[in-house]
Amino acid sequence: MNTRDGDAKRDWQTLALVVLTLILCIFVANIHLEVRGEVADIDIGMRFFHSAIVSFMLTTGLLFMFTLAFAHRQARITEQALGMFLTTVVAVLVYGWAIDAGMLLPGVVGDVWSQFSTTVLRLLVAECAGLLALGICFGLLLALVSGRRHADDPLLELSSEDFSAADGDDSAE
Amino acid sequence: MPETTLLVHFWLPLALFPLGVALMLARDSRRKWVGRVLLLGCLLAPLLNDWDIASTGEGQILHLGLMLLGPTLMCAVGCLLALFGGPTPFAPLPEGVRQGGFLLLAGGIAWFGWLLFVDRPDISGTANPFWLHLITSLLTLLVVIGGFAAAFTIMMGDRRWREALAMGGIAITSFILLIFLLAQGTEQDDPVFWRSASWGALGDLLGLLVGGVGALLTFVLVVWIGERNMPVPEPVAPLSESEQARAREILAEHAGDSGGEQE
């Protein structure tokens, strides 16, 4: 890696560009291969909205539980716990309001629980897919990276048992 | 609201699972025990129910999870064997284990391919409705993560061309497979269903990313506000006479020991 100033930022910008390009390619592939209106019928905007709100709600709830689990006498966590709890409640209220306003997932029963449970189940599947993808890519990468053999350090072969020159220095002191 | 059985055997364990994990990670031994019991309960609760897999989404999810357990474990064990069968300085395994690990990993991926093209997970002859969603999400993420890993390996690595080629190969293969499924489908599923599933999966993945990152940023903001509003610590009271005497004793004891060693 180049250690000149500013190169780390440029490297990460390049990596971000690679990721965005790949996402764009997948989007274009989906739209280009649409034949019978599958893309228009799915309403990706509503899927995105429901997934975003529910994942926000679940993540803040999870962080609230973690805050409670790690609380101890010396920690000042009142603001943190209260903040995450209130954020979760606000997310729940916003979601309920959105459902009542008619922002529903297509093809799912219109009550709040059905909309919420369907979104949670889809998010669970997506998270499992994410964990699988991460495991396959980085598991294989780690196994390959660790296979490189290095030459032994030449310093390890030097003997450190001959003290004749060192004894002479001690007698001088 | 869901039925009581679904609430008790699926949703409640799902909601309490993160709490069990967090308690297991706590330092207090009592909390660790509570976390272990909670986790055990969360894992056993779904098994103690007589599931109607065909008609409930919750049962379908569990069915899918069980179908994927085999190939996932095979890939995980293969990675572990390949990693520790190599020239690692810690806990190395015998020499030939590394090749066996790669074979197991390939076998696990082949098992996934067999499930995809030959024997997709069915429930009483009907496809598991989450199967298409899982595969399209998996392939999409393999393209993105594999591409990122390849670029990262080239830019940050030291002559890691083999690794970059492997990651790039995963990304390209996943992309080609995704295109094939969107264009041709499989024997059991028409390409229309694959295209619908893929488009919906993109919305779900982006929503997951935006919602999750938004929640983490909110957490950071909440902690920052809390830290900013914290008052200045009060000054500590000076040591009492007895505390000063005790401190002098400890210093004299340790100072006396170190003076003896120097001589």
Side-chain angles (χ1 to χ4, degrees):
Chain A
M1 179 177 162
N2 205 326
T3 55
R4 287 177 297 167
D5 287 343
D7 279 339
K9 187 178 169 186
R10 190 165 58 216
D11 288 342
W12 284 105
Q13 281 173 347
T14 309
L15 287 170
L17 203 61
V18 166
V19 170
L20 284 172
T21 307
L22 290 169
I23 294 172
L24 196 64
C25 287
I26 294 171
F27 264 97
V28 166
N30 273 272
I31 295 173
H32 182 69
L33 286 166
E34 180 190 15
V35 173
R36 280 162 267 186
E38 305 92 4
V39 162
D41 290 343
I42 289 300
D43 198 356
I44 192 175
M46 207 49 64
R47 288 280 285 261
F48 168 78
F49 175 75
H50 278 252
S51 299
I53 295 263
V54 171
S55 68
F56 180 88
M57 189 194 312
L58 295 180
T59 309
T60 50
L62 188 130
L63 289 168
F64 171 66
M65 280 194 274
F66 268 68
T67 305
L68 290 182
F70 291 133
H72 55 85
R73 208 178 306 155
Q74 285 78 29
R76 298 172 63 101
I77 53 120
T78 311
E79 295 90 353
Q80 185 177 321
L82 196 62
M84 298 321 294
F85 178 72
L86 288 175
T87 310
T88 309
V89 167
V90 165
V92 169
L93 291 174
V94 166
Y95 189 69
W97 168 81
I99 299 292
D100 288 340
M103 300 169 80
L104 303 174
L105 283 172
V108 181
V109 175
D111 65 292
V112 176
W113 177 254
S114 300
Q115 296 277 315
F116 174 75
S117 61
T118 304
T119 306
V120 169
L121 293 177
R122 284 176 178 159
L123 286 177
L124 271 178
V125 171
E127 282 171 6
C128 283
L131 288 173
L132 275 172
L134 281 170
I136 289 173
C137 285
F138 288 105
L140 180 62
L141 185 61
L142 190 60
L144 289 173
V145 161
S146 62
R148 177 176 284 184
R149 291 184 184 275
H150 299 272
D152 286 338
D153 191 339
L155 284 176
L156 291 176
E157 296 174 9
L158 293 177
S159 170
S160 59
E161 294 171 347
D162 181 10
F163 291 108
S164 54
D167 287 342
D169 288 339
D170 284 344
S171 64
E173 287 177 2
Chain B
M1 283 300 288
E3 300 170 11
T4 312
T5 47
L6 289 177
L7 205 59
V8 168
H9 292 280
F10 187 85
W11 293 105
L12 205 56
L14 187 66
L16 293 177
F17 188 81
L19 183 62
V21 170
L23 286 172
M24 279 265 303
L25 296 173
R27 286 188 178 180
D28 187 18
S29 59
R30 195 167 51 185
R31 289 188 196 193
K32 277 184 186 295
W33 272 107
V34 171
R36 283 187 196 121
V37 170
L38 195 57
L39 274 182
L40 197 62
C42 290
L43 291 170
L44 285 177
L47 302 175
L48 298 174
N49 187 36
D50 184 20
W51 288 97
D52 181 12
I53 296 176
S55 64
T56 59
E58 293 85 348
Q60 289 156 0
I61 288 282
L62 289 174
H63 171 258
L64 193 62
L66 285 173
M67 293 296 291
L68 293 177
L69 199 59
T72 306
L73 281 176
M74 204 166 167
C75 288
V77 171
C79 282
L80 276 175
L81 292 180
L83 173 63
F84 289 103
T88 56
F90 47 89
L93 293 172
E95 278 279 333
V97 168
R98 185 171 167 81
Q99 285 74 23
F102 282 120
L103 278 174
L104 263 182
L105 181 60
I109 293 173
W111 193 344
F112 275 114
W114 181 71
L115 285 174
L116 179 61
F117 288 106
V118 179
D119 191 15
R120 113 193 129 192
D122 281 343
I123 304 170
S124 306
T126 314
N128 188 315
F130 293 102
W131 173 245
L132 301 181
H133 184 61
L134 175 79
I135 293 299
T136 49
S137 301
L138 179 62
L139 290 175
T140 303
L141 289 169
L142 277 173
V143 171
V144 175
I145 295 173
F148 172 82
F152 188 93
T153 312
I154 291 172
M155 298 180 68
M156 310 290 190
D158 177 23
R159 293 177 290 115
R160 294 287 183 183
W161 308 119
R162 187 181 61 167
E163 289 82 3
L165 275 174
M167 292 298 108
I170 288 177
I172 292 171
T173 308
S174 303
F175 190 68
I176 291 172
L177 188 55
L178 184 64
I179 300 290
F180 175 81
L181 291 173
L182 297 184
Q184 301 290 331
T186 54
E187 280 185 18
Q188 292 114 345
D189 292 300
D190 193 81
V192 171
F193 300 120
W194 284 106
R195 288 191 282 266
S196 304
S198 179
W199 195 238
L202 283 175
D204 289 338
L205 289 171
L206 281 173
L208 180 66
L209 180 69
V210 167
V213 169
L216 288 173
L217 290 175
T218 306
F219 177 73
V220 168
L221 184 67
V222 164
V223 170
W224 179 73
I225 291 173
E227 292 288 323
R228 195 184 60 170
N229 293 336
M230 210 171 285
V232 175
E234 292 173 1
V236 178
L239 294 175
S240 65
E241 284 298 321
S242 58
E243 286 170 344
Q244 286 181 27
R246 179 63 189 139
R248 275 194 288 270
E249 280 175 23
I250 295 171
L251 284 171
E253 181 185 329
H254 288 282
D257 284 347
S258 60
E261 283 172 4
Q262 283 173 2
E263 289 174 3

